Structure formats: structure tokens, C-alpha cells
Coordinates of all heavy atoms in Angstrom, one line a residue:
M826 N 21.2 48.0 53.9 CA 20.6 46.8 53.2 C 19.9 47.3 51.9 O 20.3 46.8 50.8 CB 19.6 46.1 54.1 CG 19.3 44.7 53.5 SD 20.7 43.6 53.5 CE 20.0 42.1 52.9
K827 N 19.1 48.2 52.0 CA 18.4 48.8 50.8 C 19.4 49.4 49.8 O 19.3 49.2 48.6 CB 17.4 49.8 51.2 CG 16.1 49.3 51.6 CD 15.1 49.3 50.4 CE 13.7 48.9 50.8 NZ 13.5 47.5 50.9
K828 N 20.5 50.0 50.4 CA 21.4 50.6 49.5 C 22.2 49.5 48.8 O 22.5 49.7 47.6 CB 22.4 51.5 50.4 CG 22.9 52.6 49.6 CD 23.9 53.5 50.4 CE 24.6 54.5 49.6 NZ 25.6 55.2 50.2
N829 N 22.5 48.4 49.4 CA 23.2 47.4 48.7 C 22.4 46.8 47.7 O 22.9 46.4 46.6 CB 23.6 46.3 49.8 CG 24.8 46.7 50.6 OD1 25.6 47.5 50.2 ND2 24.9 46.1 51.8
E830 N 21.1 46.7 47.9 CA 20.2 46.2 46.8 C 20.2 47.0 45.6 O 20.2 46.6 44.5 CB 18.8 46.0 47.4 CG 18.5 44.8 48.2 CD 17.1 44.8 48.9 OE1 16.2 45.3 48.3 OE2 17.1 44.3 50.0
A831 N 20.2 48.3 45.9 CA 20.2 49.3 44.7 C 21.5 49.2 44.0 O 21.6 49.3 42.8 CB 20.0 50.7 45.3
K832 N 22.6 49.0 44.8 CA 23.9 48.9 44.1 C 24.0 47.6 43.2 O 24.5 47.7 42.1 CB 25.0 48.7 45.3 CG 25.8 50.0 45.4 CD 27.0 49.7 46.3 CE 27.9 50.8 46.2 NZ 27.9 51.9 47.1
L833 N 23.5 46.5 43.8 CA 23.5 45.3 43.0 C 22.6 45.4 41.7 O 23.0 44.9 40.7 CB 22.9 44.2 43.9 CG 23.2 42.8 43.5 CD1 24.7 42.5 43.6 CD2 22.5 41.8 44.4
K834 N 21.5 46.1 41.9 CA 20.6 46.3 40.8 C 21.3 47.1 39.7 O 21.3 46.8 38.5 CB 19.3 47.0 41.2 CG 18.1 46.5 40.5 CD 16.9 47.2 41.1 CE 15.7 47.2 40.1 NZ 14.6 47.9 40.6
G835 N 22.0 48.2 40.2 CA 22.7 49.0 39.3 C 23.9 48.3 38.6 O 24.1 48.5 37.4
L836 N 24.5 47.5 39.3 CA 25.6 46.7 38.8 C 25.1 45.7 37.7 O 25.7 45.6 36.6 CB 26.3 45.9 39.9 CG 27.8 45.6 39.8 CD1 28.6 46.9 39.6 CD2 28.3 44.9 41.0
N837 N 24.0 45.1 38.0 CA 23.4 44.2 37.0 C 23.0 44.9 35.7 O 23.1 44.4 34.6 CB 22.2 43.5 37.6 CG 22.6 42.3 38.4 OD1 23.6 41.6 38.1 ND2 21.9 42.0 39.5
N838 N 22.5 46.1 35.9 CA 22.1 47.0 34.8 C 23.3 47.3 33.9 O 23.2 47.1 32.7 CB 21.5 48.3 35.4 CG 21.3 49.3 34.3 OD1 20.7 49.0 33.3 ND2 21.8 50.5 34.5
W839 N 24.5 47.6 34.5 CA 25.7 47.8 33.7 C 26.2 46.6 33.1 O 26.7 46.6 31.9 CB 26.8 48.4 34.6 CG 26.5 49.9 35.0 CD1 26.4 50.4 36.2 CD2 26.3 51.0 34.1 NE1 26.2 51.8 36.2 CE2 26.1 52.1 34.9 CE3 26.3 51.1 32.7 CZ2 25.9 53.3 34.3 CZ3 26.1 52.3 32.1 CH2 25.9 53.4 32.9
L840 N 26.1 45.5 33.8 CA 26.6 44.2 33.2 C 25.7 43.9 32.0 O 26.2 43.3 31.0 CB 26.5 43.1 34.3 CG 27.6 43.1 35.3 CD1 27.3 42.1 36.4 CD2 29.0 43.0 34.7
G841 N 24.5 44.2 32.0 CA 23.6 43.9 30.9 C 23.9 44.7 29.7 O 23.6 44.4 28.6
K842 N 24.6 45.9 30.0 CA 25.0 46.8 28.9 C 26.4 46.5 28.4 O 26.9 47.2 27.5 CB 24.9 48.2 29.3 CG 23.5 48.7 29.5 CD 23.5 50.2 29.9 CE 22.1 50.7 30.0 NZ 22.1 52.1 30.6
L843 N 27.1 45.6 29.1 CA 28.5 45.3 28.7 C 28.6 44.9 27.3 O 27.8 44.0 26.8 CB 28.9 44.1 29.6 CG 30.5 44.0 29.8 CD1 31.0 45.2 30.5 CD2 30.8 42.7 30.6
G844 N 29.5 45.4 26.5 CA 29.7 45.1 25.2 C 28.8 45.9 24.2 O 28.9 45.8 23.0
T845 N 27.9 46.8 24.8 CA 27.1 47.6 24.0 C 27.7 49.1 24.0 O 28.5 49.4 24.9 CB 25.6 47.7 24.4 OG1 25.6 48.4 25.7 CG2 25.1 46.3 24.7
S846 N 27.2 49.9 23.2 CA 27.7 51.3 23.2 C 27.2 52.1 24.4 O 27.8 53.1 24.7 CB 27.3 52.0 21.9 OG 25.9 52.0 21.7
G847 N 26.2 51.6 25.0 CA 25.7 52.3 26.2 C 26.4 52.0 27.5 O 26.2 52.7 28.5
F848 N 27.4 51.1 27.4 CA 28.1 50.7 28.7 C 29.0 51.8 29.2 O 29.8 52.4 28.4 CB 28.9 49.5 28.4 CG 29.7 49.1 29.7 CD1 29.0 48.5 30.8 CD2 31.1 49.3 29.8 CE1 29.7 48.2 31.9 CE2 31.8 49.0 30.9 CZ 31.1 48.4 32.0
G849 N 28.8 52.2 30.4 CA 29.7 53.2 31.1 C 29.4 54.6 30.6 O 30.1 55.5 30.9
K850 N 28.2 54.8 29.9 CA 27.9 56.2 29.5 C 26.7 56.7 30.2 O 25.8 56.0 30.6 CB 27.6 56.1 28.0 CG 28.8 55.6 27.2 CD 29.0 56.5 26.0 CE 30.3 56.1 25.2 NZ 29.9 55.4 24.0
C851 N 26.8 58.0 30.4 CA 25.7 58.7 31.1 C 24.4 58.6 30.3 O 24.5 58.9 29.0 CB 26.1 60.1 31.3 SG 24.8 61.2 31.9
I852 N 23.3 58.3 30.9 CA 22.1 58.1 30.1 C 21.5 59.5 29.7 O 20.6 59.6 28.9 CB 21.0 57.3 30.8 CG1 20.6 57.9 32.2 CG2 21.4 55.9 31.0 CD1 19.2 57.4 32.6
R853 N 22.0 60.5 30.3 CA 21.5 61.8 30.0 C 22.3 62.6 28.9 O 21.7 63.0 27.9 CB 21.4 62.7 31.2 CG 20.6 64.0 31.0 CD 20.4 64.7 32.4 NE 20.1 66.1 32.1 CZ 20.4 67.1 32.9 NH1 21.0 66.8 34.0 NH2 20.1 68.3 32.6
C854 N 23.6 62.7 29.1 CA 24.4 63.4 28.1 C 25.3 62.5 27.2 O 25.8 62.9 26.2 CB 25.3 64.4 28.9 SG 26.6 63.6 29.8
G855 N 25.3 61.2 27.6 CA 26.0 60.2 26.7 C 27.5 60.2 26.9 O 28.2 59.5 26.2
R856 N 28.0 61.0 27.8 CA 29.5 61.0 28.0 C 29.9 59.9 28.9 O 29.0 59.3 29.7 CB 29.9 62.3 28.8 CG 30.1 63.5 27.8 CD 30.7 64.6 28.4 NE 29.9 65.2 29.5 CZ 30.1 66.3 30.2 NH1 31.2 67.0 29.9 NH2 29.3 66.7 31.1
E857 N 31.1 59.5 28.8 CA 31.6 58.3 29.6 C 31.6 58.7 31.1 O 32.1 59.8 31.4 CB 33.0 57.9 29.1 CG 32.9 56.9 27.9 CD 34.2 56.4 27.6 OE1 35.1 56.1 28.5 OE2 34.5 56.2 26.4
I858 N 31.2 57.8 31.9 CA 31.2 58.0 33.3 C 32.5 57.5 33.8 O 33.0 56.5 33.4 CB 30.0 57.2 34.0 CG1 28.7 57.7 33.4 CG2 30.1 57.4 35.5 CD1 27.5 56.9 33.9
N859 N 33.1 58.3 34.7 CA 34.3 57.9 35.4 C 34.3 56.5 36.0 O 33.3 56.2 36.6 CB 34.6 58.9 36.5 CG 36.0 58.7 37.1 OD1 36.2 57.7 37.9 ND2 37.0 59.5 36.8
I860 N 35.2 55.7 35.7 CA 35.2 54.3 36.0 C 35.1 54.1 37.6 O 34.4 53.2 38.1 CB 36.4 53.5 35.4 CG1 36.2 52.0 35.6 CG2 37.7 53.9 36.0 CD1 35.0 51.3 34.9
N861 N 35.7 55.0 38.3 CA 35.7 54.9 39.7 C 34.3 55.2 40.3 O 33.8 54.5 41.2 CB 36.7 55.9 40.4 CG 38.1 55.5 40.1 OD1 38.4 54.3 40.2 ND2 38.9 56.4 39.8
R862 N 33.6 56.1 39.6 CA 32.3 56.5 40.0 C 31.3 55.3 39.7 O 30.5 54.9 40.5 CB 31.8 57.7 39.2 CG 30.3 58.1 39.5 CD 29.9 59.3 38.8 NE 28.5 59.5 38.9 CZ 27.9 60.0 39.9 NH1 28.6 60.3 41.0 NH2 26.6 60.2 40.0
L863 N 31.6 54.7 38.6 CA 30.8 53.5 38.1 C 30.9 52.3 39.1 O 30.0 51.7 39.4 CB 31.3 53.0 36.7 CG 30.3 52.4 35.8 CD1 29.2 53.4 35.4 CD2 31.0 51.9 34.6
L864 N 32.1 52.2 39.6 CA 32.4 51.1 40.6 C 31.9 51.4 42.0 O 31.3 50.5 42.6 CB 33.9 50.8 40.6 CG 34.5 50.1 39.4 CD1 36.0 50.0 39.5 CD2 33.8 48.7 39.1
F865 N 32.0 52.6 42.4 CA 31.6 52.9 43.7 C 30.0 53.3 43.8 O 29.4 53.0 44.8 CB 32.3 54.1 44.3 CG 33.7 53.7 44.7 CD1 34.8 54.2 44.0 CD2 33.9 52.9 45.9 CE1 36.1 53.8 44.5 CE2 35.1 52.5 46.2 CZ 36.3 53.0 45.5
M866 N 29.5 53.8 42.7 CA 28.1 54.1 42.7 C 27.4 53.5 41.4 O 26.9 54.2 40.6 CB 27.9 55.6 42.7 CG 28.3 56.3 44.0 SD 28.0 58.0 43.9 CE 26.2 58.0 43.7
P867 N 27.4 52.2 41.3 CA 26.8 51.6 40.1 C 25.3 51.8 40.0 O 24.7 51.7 38.9 CB 27.1 50.1 40.3 CG 27.2 49.9 41.8 CD 27.9 51.1 42.3
E868 N 24.7 52.3 41.1 CA 23.2 52.5 41.0 C 22.9 53.9 40.3 O 21.8 54.1 39.9 CB 22.6 52.6 42.4 CG 23.0 53.7 43.3 CD 24.3 53.4 44.1 OE1 25.2 52.8 43.6 OE2 24.4 53.9 45.2
S869 N 24.0 54.6 40.1 CA 23.8 55.9 39.4 C 24.2 55.7 37.9 O 25.2 55.1 37.6 CB 24.7 57.0 39.9 OG 24.7 58.1 39.1
N870 N 23.3 56.1 37.0 CA 23.7 55.9 35.6 C 23.8 57.3 34.9 O 23.6 57.5 33.7 CB 22.7 55.0 34.8 CG 21.3 55.3 35.2 OD1 20.9 56.3 35.7 ND2 20.4 54.3 35.0
H871 N 24.2 58.3 35.8 CA 24.5 59.6 35.3 C 25.9 60.0 35.6 O 26.5 59.5 36.6 CB 23.6 60.7 36.0 CG 22.1 60.6 35.6 ND1 21.2 60.0 36.3 CD2 21.5 61.0 34.4 CE1 20.0 60.0 35.7 NE2 20.2 60.7 34.5
C872 N 26.5 60.8 34.8 CA 27.9 61.3 35.1 C 27.8 62.3 36.2 O 26.7 62.7 36.7 CB 28.5 61.9 33.9 SG 27.7 63.4 33.4
I873 N 29.0 62.7 36.7 CA 29.0 63.6 37.8 C 28.3 64.9 37.5 O 27.5 65.4 38.4 CB 30.5 63.9 38.2 CG1 31.1 62.6 38.8 CG2 30.6 64.9 39.3 CD1 32.6 62.6 39.0
S874 N 28.5 65.5 36.4 CA 27.8 66.7 36.0 C 26.3 66.6 36.0 O 25.6 67.5 36.5 CB 28.3 67.3 34.7 OG 29.5 66.7 34.3
C875 N 25.8 65.5 35.5 CA 24.4 65.4 35.4 C 23.7 64.9 36.7 O 22.5 65.1 36.9 CB 24.0 64.3 34.3 SG 24.4 64.8 32.7
A876 N 24.5 64.4 37.6 CA 24.0 63.9 38.9 C 23.7 65.0 39.8 O 23.0 64.9 40.8 CB 24.9 62.9 39.5
K877 N 24.3 66.2 39.5 CA 24.2 67.4 40.5 C 22.7 67.8 40.6 O 22.0 67.9 39.6 CB 25.0 68.5 40.0 CG 26.5 68.4 40.4 CD 27.3 69.5 39.8 CE 28.8 69.2 39.9 NZ 29.6 70.1 39.1
Ligands
ZN1069 ZN1 25.9 63.3 32.0

């Protein structure tokens, strides 16, 4: 339940960035986040390398 809430919050966060240069980009290194990662883990706003 809590995990779903975090996912929803993350998804809303991305939707808010839709159409901006920050959409789909890692907040740490600025590289584009893999779309599959974005869809499966919307609560994460880091790319795979930065999430380690
Ligand atoms: Zn990164």
C-alpha cells in the first residue's frame, strides 16, 4: 500500500514535468532515465547509475 502511494506520487511528479526539459531526466546527473525504469519505478528520479 505504502509502495503504491510512493509510485503514484512519483508518477504525478513526472507528469508535472511533462513537456519540460526535466522530464525523464535524472535529477543528479541529468541523463535520460530509461523509459522502462521510469514506468516501473516512477518513485525514483535517479538513473540506474545514480541509484546505486
Ligand atoms: Zn544519474
Side-chain angles (χ1 to χ4, degrees):
M826 196 62 181
K827 274 265 186 281
K828 208 179 173 191
N829 284 335
E830 279 174 32
K832 256 192 166 93
L833 199 64
K834 216 175 158 185
L836 210 54
N837 278 323
N838 172 49
W839 285 123
L840 285 174
K842 288 184 182 172
L843 202 65
T845 72
S846 57
F848 179 75
K850 300 227 176 104
C851 172
I852 57 159
R853 193 169 159 212
C854 68
R856 276 191 297 189
E857 274 187 36
I858 301 173
N859 185 287
I860 190 68
N861 291 319
R862 178 178 169 78
L863 209 64
L864 291 174
F865 284 110
M866 291 182 65
E868 69 272 38
S869 171
N870 41 24
H871 290 102
C872 67
I873 293 170
S874 339
C875 294
K877 276 176 194 167

